[in-house]
Amino acid sequence: MIRPASLLYTLMMSDRIKYLWRQYIAETATLAEVAELFRYIEDTSNDQENGTIFRDELKSFPIPPHLQRQAPEDVLRAILSADVPEAPVLGPVKIRQRRRWLRYAAAFLLFLAGGGMAWWLNRADTPRATTDIRRFSREVMPGHNGAILTLSDGREVMLDSLGDGTVAMQGNTAIRLSHGQLAYDLQAADENVALLYNTTKTPNGRQYQLILPDGTKVWLNAASSLRYPVMFTNKERLVEVSGEAYFEVAQNGQAPFRIKINEMMEIQVLGTHFNINAYANEADIQTTLLEGSVRIVNNGQAYLLAPGQQAQVRGASLRIKKDIDLSQVMAWKAGAFSFVNADVPAVMRQLARWYDIEVRYEGDIPVREFTGEIGRNLSLDQVLQLLTKNRINYRIEHEKLITIVP
């Protein structure tokens, strides 16, 4: 027997999910609303409620008459292969020039993921499908918070599974973990103590946040690392970074903050907010300034960035790009992939880092460009289904290897 309070809660949740679903179908959902909808659907404890909600909503779902008596996998295949859009796009959020079939295809996938498959198979006017339903759940889930901390003596600490508390002592500094965030607590200042260095590394499929000994906040994207001392001196604050990281540097005019990216490039800053993209397999090292000012020094060249500008370093060359779309640069931190005229390899490099997969190419690489956003909370299968709408074909060798085929 359902208690009145529980019944009221169920009804409220039902109305909320219906609202999110309709926003999604109408292409008016925000990224936050899309993320909320997918979190609810991916929670298997909601399967029974999902069946009821989406059964009712599907009554207005515009499946063509000639497909209405087909098995679900055939319907899905027909929807995903129909009406290729003129402009390649990605994502379950509002994007210019997207045609309605992509929206319906994504919605149908969402419905199946939410328990709709069982309802579809049990309709009186639908033949029973003999296909193994489990092939629709062959999913690689998105990345999550986690990192590996390497201490000064070489010991490695897996931060994914640790609870709150003191992780280790490094000299006079206590390393503490609180709510999934690493922080350094200097117990007693001593200039005579030898500098000890730690490295926080995020493997593929992980992201992490930490607070350095001076109070500087750092967010690490997947496949990134940060090397830093466990105690800064009064003269300088020097760290080394690879991959992608967002910094909110604590101000200290007496000790400038410096970041080394390679032997040729350095970023000098007093207090500011900026993003660094320095993956080894990307053509450029990009430093984008959000607030304050930073000086980029590369191979003898120096430039002082202003907010909204991006320094692009390729080898010995340094270029400055102005009027940068900061929301596009910071999409990863907000929980989304954001593509602007990105080619297939550029898209797949981001997916490989976040889903911890290997991508191979069979034959010529398809010439496509993608513009749009897609949530990083989606499963890999959901993302790949959207790629097929853009005439990108793939073969799943196993859950860690995807081959792009002609």
Side-chain angles (χ1 to χ4, degrees):
M1 178 177 181
I2 300 178
R3 297 180 180 178
S6 299
L7 178 59
L8 177 60
Y9 173 79
T10 301
L11 292 174
M12 290 174 62
M13 283 303 299
S14 175
D15 289 342
R16 176 62 178 170
I17 298 306
K18 287 180 180 179
Y19 163 78
L20 294 173
W21 168 269
R22 291 166 186 171
Q23 290 288 97
Y24 177 86
I25 294 298
E27 296 185 352
T28 57
T30 65
L31 278 174
E33 288 174 334
V34 171
E36 181 182 352
L37 176 62
F38 272 74
R39 279 197 303 269
Y40 181 85
I41 287 175
E42 290 169 356
D43 185 347
T44 57
S45 66
N46 297 322
D47 282 353
Q48 184 174 355
E49 290 83 1
N50 286 345
T52 300
I53 293 172
F54 294 112
R55 178 190 60 209
D56 295 337
E57 291 298 304
L58 201 64
K59 291 177 181 178
S60 59
F61 194 81
I63 295 177
H66 70 284
L67 294 176
Q68 289 179 359
R69 297 183 62 85
Q70 300 298 313
E73 63 269 21
D74 295 330
V75 176
L76 181 59
R77 189 177 301 110
I79 290 176
L80 290 174
S81 62
D83 190 23
V84 175
E86 295 173 353
V89 295
L90 287 175
V93 296
K94 188 171 184 181
I95 301 175
R96 294 187 303 273
Q97 298 183 339
R98 179 169 53 183
R99 294 184 181 181
R100 63 176 184 161
W101 269 111
L102 180 58
R103 181 171 75 246
Y104 298 150
F108 191 76
L109 280 169
L110 194 62
F111 169 75
L112 295 181
M117 177 69 81
W119 171 78
W120 186 282
L121 292 176
N122 285 287
R123 293 192 313 163
D125 60 346
T126 302
R128 290 297 182 102
T130 57
T131 304
D132 187 352
I133 298 174
R134 286 176 297 178
R135 72 189 188 95
F136 286 97
S137 62
R138 185 182 178 184
E139 294 182 326
V140 176
M141 300 312 295
H144 57 271
N145 286 333
I148 300 172
L149 172 65
T150 302
L151 302 174
S152 59
D153 60 4
R155 287 179 296 156
E156 292 187 343
V157 181
M158 296 295 297
L159 300 176
D160 302 42
S161 57
L162 289 183
D164 291 354
T166 300
V167 175
M169 288 294 299
Q170 296 280 267
N172 295 331
T173 302
I175 308 174
R176 306 190 193 281
L177 191 62
S178 177
H179 303 292
Q181 178 178 272
L182 201 64
Y184 286 76
D185 182 11
L186 180 62
Q187 304 294 297
D190 187 350
E191 290 285 340
N192 297 319
V193 174
L195 282 182
L196 302 177
Y197 286 85
N198 283 183
T199 299
T200 298
K201 179 180 180 180
T202 52
N204 285 342
R206 301 289 189 274
Q207 62 183 16
Y208 208 70
Q209 180 183 355
L210 65 152
I211 301 177
L212 298 180
D214 66 335
T216 292
K217 297 179 180 179
V218 185
W219 286 258
L220 293 176
N221 201 350
S224 304
S225 69
L226 181 71
R227 183 176 183 267
Y228 49 91
V230 300
M231 180 186 71
F232 288 117
T233 68
N234 293 327
K235 297 180 181 180
E236 71 170 2
R237 297 172 290 170
L238 177 63
V239 302
E240 299 176 34
V241 68
S242 67
E244 186 164 21
Y246 170 70
F247 287 80
E248 293 184 356
V249 176
Q251 293 190 8
N252 183 347
Q254 303 303 315
F257 196 95
R258 296 193 297 131
I259 300 173
K260 290 183 64 176
I261 296 176
N262 51 36
E263 294 303 320
M264 296 174 59
M265 182 175 173
E266 182 178 295
I267 298 173
Q268 301 171 351
V269 56
L270 293 177
T272 189
H273 298 182
F274 57 97
N275 190 78
I276 299 173
N277 186 313
Y279 287 112
N281 61 352
E282 299 291 347
D284 297 326
I285 297 174
Q286 299 177 349
T287 303
T288 308
L289 183 62
L290 282 76
E291 296 180 16
S293 64
V294 297
R295 184 184 304 277
I296 307 297
V297 180
N298 183 67
N299 195 38
Q301 300 181 75
Y303 190 89
L304 188 65
L305 282 184
Q309 294 183 343
Q310 181 181 87
Q312 300 177 343
V313 172
R314 181 178 299 187
S317 68
L318 169 62
R319 303 183 308 276
I320 304 300
K321 188 174 181 180
K322 300 180 179 180
D323 300 322
I324 292 293
D325 182 351
L326 297 179
S327 64
Q328 190 266 330
V329 173
M330 298 308 304
W332 71 270
K333 184 172 174 289
F337 299 105
S338 183
F339 304 114
V340 177
N341 299 326
D343 60 17
V344 173
V347 171
M348 298 311 297
R349 285 195 298 271
Q350 288 204 42
L351 298 185
R353 287 191 286 262
W354 186 235
Y355 293 96
D356 190 18
I357 59 170
E358 180 183 356
V359 178
R360 295 180 181 174
Y361 297 90
E362 186 176 280
D364 295 334
I365 298 176
V367 180
R368 305 280 190 275
E369 285 190 344
F370 301 88
T371 295
E373 287 190 346
I374 188 168
R376 280 164 52 117
N377 63 318
L378 303 182
S379 70
L380 177 63
D381 185 62
Q382 290 169 319
V383 174
L384 292 176
Q385 289 289 354
L386 292 173
L387 288 179
T388 64
K389 190 61 180 178
N390 294 274
R391 294 173 293 144
I392 299 300
N393 302 311
Y394 64 92
R395 183 173 64 246
I396 301 177
E397 310 293 353
H398 52 77
E399 66 177 11
K400 293 296 182 181
L401 176 59
I402 305 296
T403 299
I404 305 298
V405 298

